[in-house]
Amino acid sequence: MHKFINGEVFKTLLKDGMKIHVGGFLTNGSPETLIDLVVESGVKNLTIICNDGGYEGNGVGKMINHGQVKKLIASHIGTNPDVGRLMNEEKLIVELVPQGTLVERIRAYGAGLGGILTPTGLNTLVQEGKEVIQVKGKDYLLEEALGADMALIGGAIADEYGNLKYRETMRNFNPMMATAAEIVVVEPVKVIEVIDPENVITPHPFVDYILGGEQDER
Amino acid sequence: MNDKQIIASRIAMELKDGDLVNLGIGIPTLVANYVSEDKEIIFQSENGIIGLGADQGEDCSIVNAGGMKASICKGGAFIDSATSFTFIRGGHIDITVLGALEVDQEGSIASWIIPGKLVPGMGGAMDLVTGAKKVIIAMRHTNKGKVKILKKCRLPLTAFKQANLIVTEMCVMEVKKDGLHLLEVNPAYTIEEVMNATDAELIVDEVKPMRGIENENNA
C-alpha cells in the first residue's frame, strides 16, 4: 500500500500556520510519535484542535511546551498548568468549547454540513457572539463546522488497506477527526493484514497516510 | 461517615434499577460505591464507555473521563465521542451527577470557570446538564463557610435552570417551578443551621430526616 510513510516523509507535509486536529482524550488514543515529529520539525503558529490540553510534556502539551501553538481549541485545559499560564501571559489563545459541541462541529465538517444547532451553552458565556435560532419553539445555538488542514489520528489498529478500528477507549475523537481534514495521518498501535469489514470504524478512503511499514508489529 | 460519604450514599438512593448514569469527577464518582446490590445501574463515561467499571488492575488501554484506569462491564460498548454525546445531549442519560462551585434557587449551575483565577474549562459538563433527564448536584454545602447555594449564581454559568436535585452533607433540596424546596435535613444539623449556611430562599413545608446516613455509633 502506498499509504505507509516514515517520519521523514511525514515532516515534509508540515507547514507553519497549519490547523491540526489531534485525536485522544487526556492522551488516551493520542498519536504521541506524530506529535514528537511535529516538535522535531519546528513548525510554528499552529492552531491545534484537541479535546483537552493534554499534560505537561504529554500529548498536545509537548507542542504547547515548545511554543509551536498559537491557538488551542479544546473543551478542558485543567490537566495542563502550562496552558493556563501561557494563556494568562497572552502567549497562547485558548478557545474553550463544550465537549459535545466540539466533536459535533468536527463531525459536521466531515459530513459537509455548515454547522449544527445545539441547546448546549445557551445563556452562558459560550453563547457570546453566536446566533440563536429557534426551531419548533425551542432555542438553539448555531455552532459552525470545524475542519482542519491535517488530522493526526492515534489509538488505531490499521490494516494493510488503510482501514481502521480503535483500541478500547482510544477511539474518542479519532473517527470524527479522520473525516474532517485535508490530510489524514494515522499512527497505529498495531497493523494487521485485514480488518473484518463489519468491524471497520474508519474506512480507508478517509485515510491518507499511515506512519510505519506494512511489516510493523505484526 | 464523612461528608463526602454522606452525600454519595444519599445520591445512590436516587438511582433506579436499569438507569443509565454519568458520574462526574470527585464526590460524584463515590456514588458508585453505595449502589445497593439489587439494582443494576449502567454507568456511561463520556470519553467513550457504556458499562464503565472500576479498575481491575488489568493491562489495558481503558480509561475513564478523568483519564484514570478503568474497566468495561460484560455487555458493555466502546463508543466514539460523537456517539457518546448523542447519548448525553440526546436525552438518553437518565441521571447525571456533578459537582459545582455554585448553584442557585432556580437551578442554574456554575462549575467551569473562576474568572481571573481558574479556567479548567467545561469539558462535557455543559452538554451533560443540558441533556440528561435528571441533574443531581453533589457538593459540600459551603466552601469553608462561604455560601455556595445562592439566590442567583455569581460565577459564569455552566447551564441556566437545569439542576433538579442538590445533595450536600447537610440536606437534600429539590428545584421546583415555585422555588427551592428543602426535602431532607441531616439529623446532625437543625433547619436553622441549614438556612444560615444557605443564601437561597428555601421553601420549607415537610422536612424529613436525611436518608442514607449510617450512624456508626448506633450500628
Side-chain angles (χ1 to χ4, degrees), chain A residues 25-26 28 51 55 74-79 87-88 96-101 103-104 107 116-126 167-176 201, chain B residues 46-49 59-68 78-83 85-86 89 112-113 116-117 119-128 130-131 156-160:
Chain A
F25 190 110
L26 292 173
N28 182 239
N51 172 63
Y55 299 101
S75 75
H76 195 270
I77 56 171
T79 52
M87 187 171 72
N88 291 336
L96 286 166
V97 181
Q99 202 168 100
T101 300
V103 73
E104 201 64 14
R107 195 193 65 82
I116 56 151
L117 298 176
T118 177
T120 303
L122 281 168
N123 301 299
T124 73
L125 291 178
V126 170
R167 181 174 281 174
E168 300 173 329
T169 47
M170 290 178 159
R171 193 180 310 187
N172 52 64
F173 275 65
N174 283 304
M176 273 61 60
I201 306 287
Chain B
E46 67 265 29
N47 59 313
I49 309 175
D59 182 25
C60 67
S61 307
I62 306 172
V63 300
N64 63 22
M68 308 305 286
F78 293 117
I79 53 178
D80 61 59
S81 297
T83 309
F85 282 88
T86 294
R89 204 192 307 96
W112 67 284
I113 178 172
K117 268 192 177 171
V119 191
M122 66 291 276
M126 279 195 181
D127 299 280
L128 279 160
T130 301
L157 296 185
T158 303
F160 183 63

Side-chain angles (χ1 to χ4, degrees), chain B residues 93-167:
Chain B
I93 302 282
D94 295 298
I95 295 179
T96 185
V97 185
L98 306 95
L101 298 164
E102 294 176 352
V103 195
D104 69 29
Q105 62 195 40
E106 295 184 314
S108 291
I109 304 154
S111 64
W112 67 284
I113 178 172
I114 304 175
K117 268 192 177 171
L118 184 72
V119 191
M122 66 291 276
M126 279 195 181
D127 299 280
L128 279 160
V129 296
T130 301
K133 288 182 197 156
K134 184 170 183 177
V135 176
I136 301 178
I137 301 298
M139 62 176 198
R140 286 221 166 80
H141 202 93
T142 65
N143 179 11
K144 294 170 190 143
K146 212 172 135 233
V147 285
K148 296 174 73 176
I149 302 162
L150 309 172
K151 291 188 181 70
K152 202 133 195 102
C153 285
R154 298 170 190 141
L155 293 169
L157 296 185
T158 303
F160 183 63
K161 296 187 181 178
Q162 293 288 352
N164 301 112
L165 201 71
I166 305 166
V167 179

Side-chain angles (χ1 to χ4, degrees), chain A residues 170-191:
Chain A
M170 290 178 159
R171 193 180 310 187
N172 52 64
F173 275 65
N174 283 304
M176 273 61 60
M177 288 178 165
T179 69
E182 286 297 312
I183 306 169
V184 175
V185 187
V186 179
E187 175 184 341
V189 291
K190 190 177 171 186
V191 179

